[in-house]
Amino acid sequence: GGRRGEIYAKLRDLRDKYADLIRERYPDIPRRVSGYNLDDLLPEKGFNVARALTGSEGTLVTILEAKVRLVHSPPYRSLLVLGYPSIYEAGDHVSEVLQHGPTGLEAIDDTLIDDMKKKYMHPGDIPLLPEGKGWLLVEFGGETTEESHGKAQKLMEALGEAEDAPSMKLFEDPSEASRVWDVREDGLGATAFVPGQGDAWEGWEDAAVPPERLGDYLRDFRNLLNEYGYSTSLYGHFGDGCVHCRMDFDLRTAEGIEKWRAFLDEAADLVVSYGGSLSGEHGDGQSRAELLPKMFGEELVQAFREFKSIWDPEWKMNPGKVVDAYRITENLRLGTDYNPHEPETYFSYPEDNGSFAHATLRCVGAGKCRDIESGTMCPSYMVTKEEEHSTRGRARILHEMLRGDVIKDGFRSKEVYDALDLCLSCKGCKGDCPVNVDIATYKTEFLSKYYKGKLRPAYAYTMGLIMFHARAAQYMPRLANLVAHAPVLKDLVKRVGGLAPEREMPPFAHQTFKAWFKERGPVNPDGPPVVLFPDTFNNFLHPEPMKAAVEVMEAAGYRIIVPQQALCCGRPLYDYGMLDTARVFLNRLVETLSPYVREGIHVVGIEPSCVATFRDELPNMLPHDEDAKRLSQQTLTLDEFLVQEVRDYEPPKLNRKAIVHGHCHQEAVMKMTAEQELLQKIGLDFEILDSGCCGLAGSFGFEKEHYDISMKVGERRLLPAARDAEKDTLIISDGFSCKTQIEHATNRRALHTAQVIRMAMQHGENGPEGDYPERGYPDVVLNSHEPGLKAAAAVGAAVVAGGALAWGLKRRFG
């Protein structure tokens, strides 16, 4: 009875009216996502209303919860890769492979591999593939490795008997198998925005045909592509007959759009002729709904209308999609009226031909940034779960800002500012996003224009100008520490500076690293030289990692050079869009360090975010400076230097357990490969945590309005892992902000990799006894209570605050 009874009665009548036509026109293939699932209402399907609703793209109902059928996942997997002369021959053999019952069957072609090589993706993984130009990735499962391997070997024996047997490689090492799967998983990232080629777009990216007809379909599809002059790679879920591709459509001119539309008609006809589906994965929406009559006929499309009307009588649910949809050429993201504002920029955007507008087009909507379980992208979205704070949401709103149709006030837009405000500038998107959307760079570009001609928040001057405060503090570190930590004074400083009262400011060292090194002097006068970059954080605040790095590299025979000039990469400046000042800092870096790099001397950085600035922001800000390019290429982290440049380096052994947290910038720009190799050489029993961002993210977690988000990000994975670690388990983290966050929220202190190696040098294979390391900084003391010093501290606080404010005013208003 009631509304539910009315719906079920109408569904039954609809089923009875169209049952014969449904049986006749619905393709019986593994991947049919096009249209509505009216076949699930048939008696032989059990009148399954839930299945009929799935995949309806929000046009019928809002699904609040669903019961799913779980399939046993074999605990052991074996990967067999088959290499064929082309992707067409690979398609020809799909049916033969399926007869052996694989748990997975994917494919990639040589065009995809060529695209990856052009983008320098997976350089160490592609050589794992066997000989060929079209590859099938065949996975078998079992309750034991022997069982899964046995299934793979039976297939190899069967295929090996044929004259046209493929090249074959069975991966015994699970880590190597994982690397091959990574190549397949990055297909989308590889085929979008390939250097030297036109932009490739979706639009016909997931058609599916019967797997047994795949080879012939691929040949005919390639002929159609050639007829229209389109190029693409061909890859996908070949076990299900689903083919992925992105093509270089012209979607900006009337002629190009007309050509694209004609191609879609012929591509749809081709798929239907093979008994396939217009969509095998992503659905029809607007982009293929206009073609549904080709696949189902007008009568079944009328059945779709009636089906929608049963659930949604007033057609309020996602109108204009699936049935009676907008035309394919309507509402294009580009189109003939696409003419975005192209602002002058600080960054060169080399991957986007110098165009900030093109950079905002990078997002392809795949939604990997909505993963809240793994990776780094995007920390704030993982906490808020709001699309506004996802990488996709931010890229989209920047695109709308430049287009100017919805957001009218451009770089002054409060809506855009709010969307970017919780971006931690962690660069997680640059590393994790399939198409390398780089919101951290887009954010600082936006802020540089948003704040033009007006003051920034107080914390921008407190934290963004830390390099100036630190230089002043080196002459009176005890006074500076008292100002920042004494009761009343510290509260005043935090309040004036816009900082979170819960945070303790990192204390200044009583002796800077540069002063220590100048007093101590280098050793190995005849050794090969290497420059150690004295970054602001480790020079002024916590010199121990740099001292350890000196001892480690000297033990390897090197002569350490430490520039005594006032240098800083300006990393905090980017968080607040202070790009004029950042460019001054970068030019000074290049001027000072170019004599060394011209001689081929490497620069080693201890702080990952600073090395990332050398590698990322430096060439992006100074794209035509050859010295800047050389400096960028010759700057390495300590682990990269020891693994890649020190010939036959054998570090001392250390028999300890450790958990390792990678700095976000290191994971995104430099990767953790060298760090992992170095720790393996040391002999540590270690785990690299999938801990994402620490939450502090430079100055983000110090800001009063961001403190809560900062802690929620840290509490997702990193901080619980640090608390739960055994007392004798080392916590390794090279990032200053990561170490600060760990110390703030736990009773542990993380060590830099350099300190771990020095520990092995000083204490032997088993390391020091007891719970090491203790919380706190051994090179800093905060214990002054002299009245005179307190009075001086108050004066000093006023001077520092006033100086920072004056500096900020001068920068903004002259």
Side-chain angles (χ1 to χ4, degrees):
R3 175 71 175 129
R4 183 178 182 184
E6 176 189 351
I7 290 174
Y8 272 70
K10 289 183 176 180
L11 291 177
R12 178 199 59 202
D13 294 344
L14 178 75
R15 184 271 315 274
D16 292 345
K17 179 180 178 181
Y18 292 102
D20 291 339
L21 200 56
I22 292 170
R23 294 186 183 101
E24 176 188 338
R25 295 299 299 261
Y26 270 63
D28 184 17
I29 58 176
R31 289 281 190 116
R32 180 202 55 77
V33 179
S34 283
Y36 290 133
N37 300 332
L38 299 186
D39 55 328
D40 283 308
L41 297 178
L42 296 172
E44 57 266 34
K45 294 287 189 73
F47 194 72
N48 195 318
V49 176
R51 283 181 178 272
L53 289 173
T54 56
S56 55
E57 304 182 55
T59 61
L60 305 178
V61 297
T62 297
I63 296 175
L64 301 180
E65 63 180 43
K67 181 179 179 180
V68 299
R69 178 175 60 90
L70 299 181
V71 179
H72 174 62
S73 179
Y76 295 92
R77 306 294 177 98
S78 297
L79 175 63
L80 171 63
V81 180
L82 308 174
Y84 291 92
S86 74
I87 195 66
Y88 316 113
E89 280 90 344
D92 291 335
H93 289 84
V94 164
S95 292
E96 182 181 4
V97 173
L98 287 174
Q99 293 173 10
H100 289 259
T103 57
L105 177 51
E106 302 285 305
I108 53 178
D109 71 353
D110 57 331
T111 303
L112 178 68
I113 296 302
D114 289 342
D115 289 346
M116 286 189 169
K117 290 177 179 178
K118 291 174 184 175
K119 300 180 76 171
Y120 201 66
M121 297 173 65
H122 300 287
D125 304 330
I126 291 173
L128 294 173
L129 296 171
E131 183 181 351
K133 293 189 175 181
W135 295 269
L136 294 179
L137 281 61
V138 191
E139 183 182 71
F140 291 95
E143 299 305 308
T144 64
T145 301
E146 291 75 18
E147 181 184 352
S148 60
H149 270 27
K151 294 176 182 178
Q153 287 163 350
K154 285 183 179 179
L155 174 59
M156 295 174 71
E157 292 170 5
L159 295 175
E161 295 175 357
E163 292 183 4
D164 59 347
S167 60
M168 293 180 272
K169 186 173 182 180
L170 178 59
F171 288 87
E172 306 280 348
D173 184 351
S175 65
E176 286 192 343
S178 177
R179 289 163 57 190
V180 173
W181 278 121
D182 287 343
V183 172
R184 163 61 188 90
E185 286 294 320
D186 283 346
L188 173 58
T191 55
F193 311 114
V194 179
Q197 300 180 15
D199 292 342
W201 306 102
E202 68 275 18
W204 190 257
E205 76 276 15
D206 64 332
V209 298
E212 62 272 15
R213 304 189 67 186
L214 193 54
D216 290 338
Y217 165 73
L218 291 174
R219 292 181 178 89
D220 287 344
F221 184 59
R222 179 63 74 185
N223 289 335
L224 180 63
L225 290 168
N226 292 339
E227 179 183 334
Y228 277 85
Y230 293 140
S231 61
T232 183
S233 62
L234 300 170
Y235 66 101
H237 317 291
F238 275 28
D240 289 332
C242 183
V243 181
H244 285 311
C245 52
R246 293 178 66 86
M247 283 160 272
D248 51 345
F249 303 127
D250 170 13
L251 300 178
R252 299 170 189 252
T253 68
E255 182 181 4
I257 293 171
E258 183 181 358
K259 175 182 173 182
W260 167 60
R261 184 63 185 81
F263 166 80
L264 293 181
D265 271 325
E266 292 201 48
D269 291 337
L270 178 62
V271 166
V272 171
S273 73
Y274 273 89
S277 175
L278 307 180
S279 175
E281 184 169 332
H282 299 154
D284 302 313
Q286 176 185 337
S287 64
R288 268 157 286 190
E290 194 179 353
L291 303 171
L292 287 177
K294 291 177 177 289
M295 178 176 171
F296 292 102
E298 292 291 352
E299 286 186 81
L300 278 182
V301 171
Q302 175 59 31
F304 295 162
R305 293 191 186 95
E306 296 175 24
F307 187 56
K308 177 174 172 59
S309 295
I310 292 171
W311 295 101
D312 179 25
E314 298 181 24
W315 283 54
K316 292 183 177 180
M317 299 291 291
N318 198 15
K321 312 297 189 302
V322 184
V323 288
D324 291 349
Y326 297 112
R327 295 191 310 276
I328 293 173
T329 54
E330 288 184 275
N331 305 319
L332 293 177
R333 190 177 185 184
L334 297 178
T336 56
D337 62 344
Y338 180 65
N339 188 27
H341 172 54
E342 194 65 80
E344 290 188 15
T345 59
Y346 286 91
F347 293 98
S348 61
Y349 303 100
E351 299 87 357
D352 296 287
N353 299 316
S355 168
F356 184 60
H358 188 274
T360 68
L361 269 176
R362 276 191 163 268
C363 177
V364 295
K368 188 177 179 182
C369 50
R370 292 171 61 89
D371 177 6
I372 61 173
E373 301 297 332
S374 61
T376 303
M377 173 183 67
C378 169
S380 50
Y381 174 78
M382 290 180 179
V383 171
T384 68
K385 299 181 177 64
E386 293 286 347
E387 176 78 4
E388 174 188 18
H389 301 135
S390 70
T391 299
R392 182 172 68 181
R394 289 169 177 145
R396 183 70 190 189
I397 199 170
L398 285 166
H399 167 77
E400 297 291 355
M401 177 192 77
L402 292 182
R403 185 151 191 162
D405 298 332
V406 178
I407 297 172
K408 303 291 187 181
D409 45 357
F411 285 97
R412 295 292 185 179
S413 169
K414 185 65 166 60
E415 290 82 5
V416 178
Y417 177 88
D418 289 342
L420 296 173
D421 184 48
L422 295 189
C423 168
L424 284 77
S425 298
C426 68
K427 296 184 183 283
C429 49
K430 185 180 180 73
D432 291 356
C433 173
V435 288
N436 308 117
V437 170
D438 185 5
I439 296 297
T441 298
Y442 310 162
K443 175 185 177 180
T444 193
E445 190 79 69
F446 171 83
L447 291 178
S448 70
K449 295 170 174 56
Y450 180 82
Y451 284 121
K452 190 172 184 179
K454 60 182 180 180
L455 284 172
R456 290 168 168 80
Y459 52 71
Y461 304 104
T462 308
M463 301 302 298
L465 305 180
I466 184 66
M467 64 290 293
F468 294 107
H469 308 326
R471 290 176 194 174
Q474 70 179 312
Y475 301 110
M476 46 180 182
R478 288 178 173 81
L479 174 59
N481 288 334
L482 188 64
V483 170
H485 296 88
V488 181
L489 280 177
K490 68 177 181 179
D491 296 334
L492 174 62
V493 170
K494 291 176 185 177
R495 187 161 56 250
V496 172
L499 305 180
E502 299 89 344
R503 290 281 181 194
E504 286 295 323
M505 298 299 292
F508 293 100
H510 291 170
Q511 183 186 40
T512 67
F513 165 75
K514 288 200 294 187
W516 171 85
F517 187 82
K518 185 176 182 180
E519 180 181 296
R520 168 190 180 271
V523 298
N524 301 333
D526 298 324
V530 61
V531 174
L532 182 59
F533 175 65
D535 66 90
T536 295
F537 305 108
N538 289 295
N539 179 46
F540 295 107
L541 297 166
H542 189 203
E544 287 303 306
M546 298 203 79
K547 294 177 183 178
V550 168
E551 295 180 35
V552 169
M553 290 191 289
E554 286 179 343
Y558 282 80
R559 173 170 59 89
I560 312 300
I561 301 170
V562 176
Q564 292 296 315
Q565 297 92 330
L567 298 178
C568 180
C569 70
R571 178 64 254 168
L573 298 169
Y574 298 94
D575 296 340
Y576 305 107
M578 298 176 172
L579 297 185
D580 286 318
T581 308
R583 180 174 284 161
V584 171
F585 278 35
L586 292 180
N587 279 314
R588 186 178 299 163
L589 275 179
V590 173
E591 180 182 354
T592 304
L593 299 179
S594 59
Y596 300 109
V597 296
R598 285 181 179 182
E599 295 181 18
I601 299 173
H602 282 91
V603 177
V604 171
I606 298 303
E607 171 58 37
S609 63
C610 296
V611 177
T613 302
F614 278 72
R615 302 265 276 271
D616 189 7
E617 282 84 359
L618 175 60
N620 207 343
M621 289 270 275
L622 306 177
H624 306 299
D625 189 317
E626 292 299 324
D627 283 327
K629 293 177 185 177
R630 282 187 281 265
L631 179 56
S632 177
Q633 294 165 359
Q634 290 175 222
T635 300
L636 305 171
T637 61
L638 178 65
D639 43 87
E640 287 177 324
F641 179 74
L642 294 176
V643 168
Q644 300 170 12
E645 301 300 327
V646 183
R647 186 175 300 175
D648 302 324
Y649 177 68
E650 285 298 330
K653 303 299 181 183
L654 186 61
N655 183 24
R656 294 287 290 269
K657 289 185 177 181
I659 57 174
V660 183
H661 169 73
H663 190 287
C664 297
H665 291 186
Q666 182 172 356
E667 292 186 328
V669 179
M670 292 88 72
K671 309 303 180 186
M672 295 290 289
T673 308
E675 174 111 355
Q676 183 171 351
E677 185 175 342
L678 180 60
L679 296 179
Q680 287 171 341
K681 284 186 173 184
I682 295 172
L684 285 171
D685 177 8
F686 69 94
E687 174 192 2
I688 296 182
L689 300 173
D690 182 13
S691 45
C693 182
C694 73
L696 190 60
S699 56
F700 180 88
F702 280 99
E703 298 158 12
K704 182 179 180 180
E705 60 193 61
H706 295 146
Y707 176 79
D708 289 341
I709 289 288
S710 166
M711 294 310 300
K712 288 177 181 177
V713 170
E715 291 292 353
R716 292 190 64 258
R717 287 176 291 209
L718 173 61
L719 298 179
R723 292 191 198 102
D724 294 343
E726 296 292 332
K727 290 184 177 181
D728 60 350
T729 296
L730 302 178
I731 301 175
I732 302 175
S733 184
D734 290 356
F736 181 82
S737 59
C738 309
K739 292 184 288 188
T740 302
Q741 179 81 315
I742 291 170
E743 180 157 353
H744 170 72
T746 74
N747 63 352
R748 300 298 302 272
R749 179 166 66 90
L751 293 177
H752 192 283
T753 303
Q755 293 172 287
V756 174
I757 301 175
R758 183 176 64 176
M759 181 193 300
M761 291 166 55
Q762 293 178 345
H763 298 278
E765 187 171 346
N766 295 321
E769 296 181 2
D771 303 336
Y772 186 94
E774 70 283 357
R775 188 175 187 272
Y777 292 87
D779 54 339
V780 175
V781 181
L782 306 172
N783 59 357
S784 180
H785 303 284
E786 297 178 14
L789 201 51
K790 288 185 177 180
V795 175
V799 170
V800 171
L805 180 59
W807 192 92
L809 290 170
K810 187 174 186 300
R811 290 297 307 170
R812 287 298 96 200
F813 304 108

